[in-house]
Amino acid sequence: MWLYALRRIILTIPILFGVTVICFALVQIAPGDPIQNLLSPTASQADAERLRAAYGLDKPLPVQYVIWLGKVLVGDMGMSIANNTPVTGEVLRAFTNTIVIAMIAVVIAFILSTIFGVAAAYRSGGLVDKAITAVAVFGISVPTFWLGVILVIIFAVNLSWLPATGMGAGGSKGFDYLSWSDFRFAVMPIIALALPPLGIMTRTTRSSLSEILNQDFVQTLRAKGLSEFEVMVHAVRNIMPAAVAMLGLQLGYLIGGSVLVETVFTWPGTGYLLNKAILTRDIPLLQGTILVLATAFVLINLVVDLAQSLIDPRIKRS
């Protein structure tokens, strides 16, 4: 197991290096000049050049990349052009806000999808199966930003049960997830984030479990006198590696794909921060946010690979 884990970690290093290259290159080739956003209409070309030199944007791109990578390796992602604040602090604060609601959403989706998938597979072709499949297809098909707007209309505007946007009067610094007065701000973003992975994982669980239940060893278990519950436990164990892989992928997608949901609810996470950095053409903030999101996705996949090898020893033996 340790050798397998070491191999996976070593293979992750060049992937992370490639992530830094792509992250830096994609931001640099985007159109527009961020310096122009900071200059007044009466600023001279000399003022623009001085400001560009202050941010290191006057150097060749390879030199800029080496300098940027060296700073990133020691935890310095530079200064935000728009806010003149350290990028590292802004990104980590926003990432914390995103990862918490994303993890809650994906755990809820995983638990419910396991229950729904097992029920649908056990009642394959019946009314329960059709109803659960309809809910899963709805979850996969509905746009998250539209769902967010509908949730605001129903629960914030019409019923006045939940606040519409933000993280409360205290913001992210004073937010307490254990307090209902604060947590109620996170309820609708969590629901909007949880529905798509719920649909995807329900469909995957139902399909995988239906295939398992049709295999010969299941008939053997029943012939040995095991109850339907015990048979289902054996069957569910066989789909756990695939379920864990799907769980990790969906968590990665939620962390990186929460831009629209966080924008609708004004939730100060990485998606909201990324949207703000794009609009202001804030290159250091944009690079830092993309790098953290991409790195998180790579590390989540590493953790999923290791978890799968613990659940299914055949993976590490291969």
Side-chain angles (χ1 to χ4, degrees):
M1 177 62 195
W2 290 109
L3 289 177
Y4 175 80
L6 182 62
R7 285 199 304 269
R8 291 295 296 117
I9 293 172
I10 292 174
L11 289 174
T12 301
I13 295 175
I15 295 175
L16 290 174
F17 176 75
V19 165
T20 64
V21 174
I22 295 173
C23 170
F24 182 84
L26 287 178
V27 172
Q28 293 297 328
I29 63 177
D33 185 358
I35 298 300
Q36 296 302 319
N37 297 331
L38 303 177
L39 296 172
S40 65
T42 59
S44 64
Q45 183 63 29
D47 294 332
E49 293 301 326
R50 280 196 297 270
L51 195 57
R52 189 170 282 105
Y55 283 98
L57 300 177
D58 60 330
K59 298 178 176 61
L61 287 181
V63 176
Q64 289 186 42
Y65 169 74
V66 172
I67 295 173
W68 174 74
L69 181 59
K71 291 181 177 179
V72 166
L73 292 176
V74 296
D76 180 10
M77 298 183 186
M79 300 292 290
S80 169
I81 294 177
N83 304 324
N84 197 32
T85 55
V87 170
T88 303
E90 284 201 45
V91 173
L92 292 182
R93 185 162 51 250
F95 182 75
T96 302
N97 296 336
T98 294
I99 190 67
V100 172
I101 62 170
M103 288 187 67
I104 294 174
V106 81
V107 168
I108 292 173
F110 179 75
I111 294 172
L112 292 180
S113 67
T114 302
I115 296 172
F116 292 162
V118 169
Y122 186 69
R123 298 293 184 181
S124 181
L127 183 61
V128 173
D129 182 20
K130 293 177 180 177
I132 290 175
T133 300
V135 173
V137 171
F138 174 79
I140 296 171
S141 306
V142 64
T144 53
F145 66 89
W146 178 84
L147 177 61
V149 172
I150 297 300
L151 290 173
V152 169
I153 293 173
I154 295 174
F155 294 104
V157 178
N158 293 339
L159 299 176
S160 299
W161 288 355
L162 298 169
T165 59
M167 289 188 76
S172 59
K173 293 183 179 179
F175 197 85
D176 183 6
Y177 285 92
L178 300 179
S179 169
W180 172 246
S181 61
D182 286 346
F183 184 77
R184 57 202 297 265
F185 285 88
V187 171
M188 288 194 292
I190 288 172
I191 293 174
L193 286 175
L195 192 58
L198 172 61
I200 293 171
M201 289 193 288
T202 297
R203 296 274 289 175
T204 303
T205 302
R206 189 260 182 210
S207 176
S208 301
L209 198 56
S210 295
E211 184 179 346
I212 292 293
L213 291 175
N214 289 324
Q215 293 186 8
D216 293 337
F217 82 92
V218 174
Q219 303 303 322
T220 303
L221 292 175
R222 287 177 175 144
K224 290 174 66 177
L226 270 68
S227 66
E228 285 299 313
F229 177 78
E230 292 173 318
V231 170
M232 192 60 68
V233 169
H234 280 280
V236 170
R237 285 177 180 173
N238 280 270
I239 68 168
M240 275 299 107
V244 169
M246 185 61 64
L247 174 67
L249 287 175
Q250 292 305 313
L251 177 58
Y253 290 145
L254 289 186
I255 293 173
S258 59
V259 177
L260 295 176
V261 171
E262 291 183 356
T263 301
V264 168
F265 294 105
T266 322
W267 185 265
T270 49
Y272 183 76
L273 188 66
L274 188 63
N275 184 51
K276 185 174 71 172
I278 292 172
L279 293 177
T280 59
R281 194 71 173 88
D282 193 336
I283 285 183
L285 187 59
L286 191 59
Q287 287 175 330
T289 307
I290 295 174
L291 179 62
V292 168
L293 291 176
T295 302
F297 192 85
V298 171
L299 294 180
I300 287 171
N301 277 276
L302 173 62
V303 172
V304 167
D305 284 346
L306 297 179
Q308 279 186 295
S309 66
L310 288 174
I311 296 173
D312 188 352
R314 293 173 298 179
I315 296 176
K316 64 179 177 234
R317 285 200 298 267
S318 62

